[in-house]
């Protein structure tokens, strides 16, 4: 569901370069608070039956999806700060807050399992048949450094189109990863969050398609 967030504003999330404008910062502060609060609360939401190991599907998925989400949050923050299209401002806020919250859950579970945020395995190694899915070190759907640089510089209609196009591809890659996690994981926490990602991002893809048509025709 798309929220009514329309005017967050002035600090930045960790590792994200800040565009100008107060709108960026309040959302950044909100993301930090959401991530911290939900990270702390993650252990209380769903009871655990056991701890997955370092080379498990669960650990691999949580680590990879945390990295995947981090780029989506950065893209959403850029669009939220720079777009003049109200629907895109709202969508980008929803994406940033939702995915930052999910990062909080995923990192909290790794800590609870006494596992580090990164492992020794290659990205996507937890997914059978994933050979070739990593291109230039990027997981499916992730934007290249050149694409991210162009997004940071874009304004107006160009920013809207680039953001929607990149986020659509990002969501498609993320949905595929999450669907595989649902199939492969035996952990109820991982199944729950992965299915939540599938549901939310499939709905957002439909909205992105609609917004892309509006922006390109405008």
């Amino acid at each position: 569901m798309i929220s009514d967030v329309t005017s967050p504003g002035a600090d930045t999330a960790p590792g994200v370069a800040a565009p100008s404008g107060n709108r960026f910062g309040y959302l950044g502060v909100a993301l930090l608070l959401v991530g911290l609060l939900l990270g702390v609360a993650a252990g209380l939401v769903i009871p655990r039956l056991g701890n997955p190991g370092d080379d498990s599907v669960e650990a691999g998925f949580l680590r990879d999806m945390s990295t995947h989400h981090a780029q989506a949050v950065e893209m959403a923050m850029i669009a939220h700060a720079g777009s003049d299209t109200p629907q895109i401002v709202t969508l980008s806020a929803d994406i940033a807050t939702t995915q930052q919250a999910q990062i909080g859950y995923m990192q909290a579970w790794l800590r609870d399992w006494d596992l580090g945020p990164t492992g020794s395995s290659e990205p996507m190694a937890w997914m059978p048949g994933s050979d070739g899915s990593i291109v230039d070190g990027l997981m499916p759907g992730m934007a290249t450094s050149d694409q991210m640089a162009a997004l940071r510089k874009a304004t107006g209609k160009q920013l809207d189109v680039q953001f929607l196009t990149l986020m659509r591809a990002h969501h498609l890659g993320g949905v595929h990863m999450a669907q595989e996690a649902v199939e492969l994981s035996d952990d109820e926490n991982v199944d729950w969050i992965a299915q939540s990602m599938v549901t939310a991002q499939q709905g957002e893809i439909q909205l992105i398609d609609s917004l892309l048509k509006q922006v390109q025709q405008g």
Side-chain angles (χ1 to χ4, degrees):
M1 178 180 293
I2 301 304
S3 72
D4 294 327
V5 178
T6 56
S7 58
D11 270 356
T12 64
V16 180
S20 59
N22 287 337
R23 186 198 294 162
F24 188 95
Y26 293 139
L27 180 59
V29 172
L31 296 185
L32 288 173
L33 291 174
V34 167
L36 288 171
L37 291 173
L38 290 181
V40 170
L44 305 177
V45 175
I46 300 178
R48 288 174 178 42
L49 301 179
N51 291 347
D54 190 63
D55 60 350
S56 64
V57 166
E58 290 80 10
F61 171 71
L62 296 186
R63 287 164 172 160
D64 285 352
M65 191 56 79
S66 291
T67 299
H68 204 271
H69 270 20
Q71 188 185 69
V73 170
E74 181 177 1
M75 290 195 294
M77 295 281 281
I78 293 168
H80 188 267
S83 178
D84 295 322
T85 305
Q87 298 97 319
I88 291 177
V89 172
T90 300
L91 172 64
S92 61
D94 285 346
I95 291 171
T97 52
T98 298
Q99 296 206 14
Q100 188 65 43
Q102 290 172 344
I103 290 172
Y105 277 107
M106 293 187 288
Q107 292 299 305
W109 290 333
L110 288 170
R111 289 194 299 272
D112 287 351
W113 301 340
D114 294 321
L115 301 177
T118 60
S120 58
S121 299
E122 293 295 319
M124 306 294 291
W126 56 273
M127 185 189 297
S130 63
D131 294 346
S133 61
I134 303 297
V135 179
D136 295 329
L138 299 173
M139 286 176 279
M142 292 187 70
T144 66
S145 58
D146 287 345
Q147 288 173 323
M148 290 299 296
L151 181 64
R152 295 184 192 101
K153 295 177 182 177
T155 58
K157 180 177 178 179
Q158 184 183 48
L159 170 62
D160 289 348
V161 171
Q162 287 186 22
F163 167 69
L164 293 171
T165 302
L166 291 175
M167 190 59 75
R168 187 183 194 282
H170 206 277
H171 274 10
L172 287 173
V175 166
H176 176 62
M177 292 169 62
Q179 287 172 329
E180 288 293 313
V182 171
E183 291 295 320
L184 298 170
S185 174
D186 293 324
D187 184 273
E188 61 184 352
N189 292 324
V190 173
D191 288 345
W192 165 72
I193 202 166
Q195 186 58 56
S196 298
M197 292 172 189
V198 171
T199 301
Q201 293 186 34
Q202 285 179 335
E204 286 170 351
I205 288 170
Q206 294 180 351
L207 177 57
I208 287 170
D209 287 342
S210 175
L211 288 173
L212 263 174
K213 290 180 181 178
Q214 294 177 33
V215 170
Q216 289 170 336
Q217 292 170 359

